[in-house]
Amino acid sequence: MKPYKSITGLFALALAASVPPLVHAEPAVQGTRITYPGESDYSQRVTLGLNKSMVVDLDQPAADVVITNPRIADAVVQTAQRIIFRGVSYGQTNAFVFDQNGNQLLNLEIGVEMDMANLHATIARLVPGARVKVEGMNGNIVITGNASNLTEFNTVERLVKAYVGSGNNAEIVNMMSISAKDQVLLEVRIVEMQRNAVKQLGVNLSGSPTFGDLGKLVEKQLFVDAGNGIPVNAETTKLAAGLPFDVSGNIGSTLGFPIQGKSIGGLNTSFNYANYVGTDLQSAVGIAINALERIGIVKTLAEPNMVAMSGESAKFLAGGEFPVPVGQDNNGRITIEFKPYGVGLGFTPVVLSEGRISLKVSTEVSELTSQGAFQAASTTTVDGDGNVVKQEGVTLPALTVRRAESTIELPSGGSMMMAGLIQSRSRQNLDQLPGLKKLPVLGALFQSRDFLHEETELVVIVTPYLVDPAAKNQLRTPADGYANASDAKTIFFGKLNEQYGKDGAPVDASDYRSPVGFIEE
């Protein structure tokens, strides 16, 4: 085989290059004919793989072969009627073949790109459901077509990247589309039940015993009557009863409830006994009994719903924001930021196929509470310049939070308990008087009991659905069928609204009795 290249006709090609493509100039000389690339009756467009060859068999012997850019493609004339073209580098060029009389036998518009035959075969074998086409464009890769789901979409893209190789600088332009539904409705149910039991039994004793009218002997001076009614000192003494005296004291017990902090109600009973001697209180004894048994149930239910497209994130919050101080200047002014609380939902769905949805879910239910709140008192200080700086006190509420974050995979319409919690907590305290608590039967009078038992059960259930848009008249809202009651019905019958329509029927303009409002006909 002998390489054969010719530059015959380069002047004509240069003249053609000076004229814009697809613009036909009027011939300057009668009989002159200009043929643009790809517009002759012998033109064909071919794509050569890089470092791949193509054999062209002619029906007539060729005498001359012209290649515009040999750096992109070259040719080897094997015989007069067989020419082999080879792709050298990425790009576009063309070739012309003439016979010995100068007549054009063939015009090839050649594009040299990466050979995609093996890649197409691999995609057809590994991803049979994908209807895609991969083609080159000046050394880059363009993917077009349709994938049934995101899994096929990602698989085709990974196969193309693996075929191109990490050392290749080719850019991959992915223009595939996904035929599966790509809008996901996520329904989340957060249900919490709290049960608590409180028992309090307290006995407080009080007493004030008095031991009175106790006699004692004292030495007294004796006096005698001198006969005229005037007592005279007898110069002697004797033992006689002196003034009575008593001994008194106070006895009491204060048995508190350290778990609850105080008695929170219930039965409060007191018994008192008093002993009098004449009109004088001799002694008193009292007993106070506090008894309580309380049970309570708290139910929390939140059902946030939200729609998002596959691969996109969505957030939802129904609640509020509370201020939190984050700084203070020299004048005592406080800078605050607002933190959200309430029922929140955030998720990112990815539709893998018609039966599989991957979800990254974050949901929480939070509420303000005084338990654990932070309180800071106001303070007054003097700075280095002698200025008095007053820092105002603040009270920051705490949050009770139930939060769950996870990544799960579910079919459309399938449910899963994403998170759950069972918590049981018991606290019991006995306050007793040392020694007296061991008395049989009576020992119960010298102790107090404080008991608290709490149980919490929490579940988070998620259910995704693949959804389509619906007509406006197919959707319902909680306000459908609502109408304000008339003034007369509100004043005389205490009604706030008219009766709701049945089966979600909208309110007709003729049935609307409110003095204000808008009716959509």
Side-chain angles (χ1 to χ4, degrees):
M1 295 185 294
K2 177 182 178 182
Y4 180 76
K5 300 179 183 178
S6 173
I7 58 172
T8 304
L10 288 181
F11 174 78
L13 292 176
L15 179 63
S18 64
V19 182
L22 303 181
V23 177
H24 297 274
E26 292 295 333
V29 181
Q30 187 175 3
T32 301
R33 181 182 179 185
I34 300 177
T35 303
Y36 291 97
E39 293 186 355
S40 69
D41 296 336
Y42 309 97
S43 298
Q44 294 187 32
R45 295 186 179 275
V46 295
T47 300
L48 271 177
L50 181 65
N51 298 322
K52 295 292 183 73
S53 297
M54 175 183 66
V55 178
V56 177
D57 291 320
L58 302 173
D59 56 354
Q60 298 181 24
D64 197 4
V65 178
V66 179
I67 297 180
T68 305
N69 191 346
R71 294 181 179 180
I72 296 177
D74 63 4
V76 175
V77 179
Q78 188 177 29
T79 64
Q81 292 183 252
R82 174 170 292 177
I83 305 173
I84 300 175
F85 292 91
R86 182 174 65 92
V88 178
S89 62
Y90 295 124
Q92 313 293 323
T93 187
N94 52 10
F96 298 91
V97 179
F98 301 94
D99 61 11
Q100 59 183 0
N101 297 322
N103 298 319
Q104 186 176 171
L105 299 178
L106 181 63
N107 166 218
L108 290 179
E109 298 299 317
I110 302 173
V112 179
E113 304 291 349
M114 185 179 297
D115 187 15
M116 301 297 177
N118 292 334
L119 178 59
H120 282 131
T122 303
I123 294 176
R125 184 177 75 256
L126 299 180
V127 195
R131 297 177 295 277
V132 298
K133 181 180 180 181
V134 185
E135 53 188 330
M137 179 178 290
N138 290 330
N140 300 315
I141 308 298
V142 179
I143 311 173
T144 58
N146 183 274
S148 301
N149 50 67
L150 186 62
T151 302
E152 294 184 355
F153 183 95
N154 293 332
T155 302
V156 171
E157 190 173 40
R158 290 198 302 268
L159 289 175
V160 173
K161 290 181 179 179
Y163 185 81
V164 172
S166 59
N168 198 321
N169 295 326
E171 180 181 356
I172 299 176
V173 181
N174 194 340
M175 301 179 64
M176 287 190 299
S177 61
I178 301 176
S179 59
K181 298 178 181 179
D182 57 356
Q183 293 196 110
V184 179
L185 167 66
L186 181 63
E187 177 184 287
V188 180
R189 296 187 66 202
I190 305 172
V191 184
E192 181 181 18
M193 291 295 296
Q194 294 179 341
R195 296 174 290 272
N196 60 77
V198 178
K199 295 180 182 180
Q200 289 184 333
L201 178 61
V203 179
N204 289 331
L205 300 176
S206 62
S208 55
T210 302
F211 304 94
D213 293 335
L214 299 178
K216 65 179 180 179
L217 295 178
V218 298
E219 186 177 7
K220 291 186 176 183
Q221 184 69 39
L222 293 179
F223 293 88
V224 296
D225 189 358
N228 55 3
I230 298 175
V232 177
N233 189 350
E235 300 297 337
T236 183
T237 60
K238 71 173 183 178
L239 292 176
L243 296 174
F245 69 94
D246 57 21
V247 178
S248 63
N250 291 317
I251 301 174
S253 64
T254 304
L255 303 179
F257 302 96
I259 296 179
Q260 301 296 333
K262 63 179 181 178
S263 174
I264 57 177
L267 175 64
N268 296 321
T269 304
S270 62
F271 302 95
N272 297 289
Y273 169 78
N275 179 31
Y276 288 87
V277 176
T279 59
D280 298 329
L281 177 64
Q282 181 70 21
S283 60
V285 177
I287 180 173
I289 300 176
N290 297 324
L292 168 72
E293 182 171 351
R294 174 183 294 177
I295 59 175
I297 295 179
V298 178
K299 176 184 178 182
T300 303
L301 173 63
E303 294 191 22
N305 297 333
M306 180 164 256
V307 178
M309 292 186 63
S310 177
E312 301 294 333
S313 299
K315 293 183 179 180
F316 169 83
L317 174 65
E321 295 183 339
F322 67 97
V324 176
V326 294
Q328 188 174 27
D329 59 15
N330 293 332
N331 296 323
R333 292 189 293 258
I334 297 177
T335 304
I336 63 173
E337 288 184 357
F338 287 88
K339 302 296 184 180
Y341 71 94
V343 179
L345 171 63
F347 79 107
T348 303
V350 176
V351 181
L352 303 178
S353 65
E354 287 289 346
R356 296 164 56 214
I357 303 174
S358 176
L359 295 170
K360 185 177 182 181
V361 185
S362 173
T363 183
E364 74 171 44
V365 176
S366 58
E367 56 188 355
L368 299 176
T369 178
S370 59
Q371 184 177 2
F374 173 77
Q375 293 183 347
S378 60
T379 59
T380 302
T381 58
V382 179
D383 60 13
D385 299 331
N387 300 318
V388 178
V389 179
K390 183 178 181 180
Q391 297 178 347
E392 299 293 337
V394 294
T395 300
L396 302 181
L399 287 178
T400 300
V401 182
R402 280 80 74 191
R403 180 184 295 118
E405 297 182 9
S406 183
T407 301
I408 57 178
E409 185 178 309
L410 291 173
S412 177
S415 298
M416 178 177 290
M417 190 175 295
M418 187 182 77
L421 169 68
I422 297 178
Q423 182 180 15
S424 179
R425 182 175 59 175
S426 295
R427 290 187 294 170
Q428 186 170 200
N429 189 81
L430 282 177
D431 287 353
Q432 301 173 326
L433 294 179
L436 298 179
K437 66 179 181 180
K438 296 182 179 180
L439 293 176
V441 181
L442 296 179
L445 299 177
F446 302 98
Q447 68 180 17
S448 291
R449 182 194 184 201
D450 198 3
F451 174 79
L452 173 64
H453 181 70
E454 296 177 325
E455 292 181 350
T456 301
E457 186 171 356
L458 171 69
V459 295
V460 179
I461 302 174
V462 295
T463 307
Y465 299 94
L466 292 174
V467 294
D468 291 320
K472 179 182 176 181
N473 56 6
Q474 295 179 333
L475 304 178
R476 297 289 179 263
T477 69
D480 290 346
Y482 176 82
N484 292 326
S486 63
D487 293 340
K489 290 184 178 180
T490 302
I491 295 173
F492 294 106
F493 300 101
K495 296 189 64 176
L496 295 178
N497 58 277
E498 297 285 356
Q499 184 176 0
Y500 273 66
K502 296 182 178 179
D503 298 329
V507 178
D508 189 77
S510 59
D511 297 334
Y512 197 74
R513 295 292 181 266
S514 177
V516 294
F518 298 92
I519 298 298
E520 182 177 343
E521 298 292 347

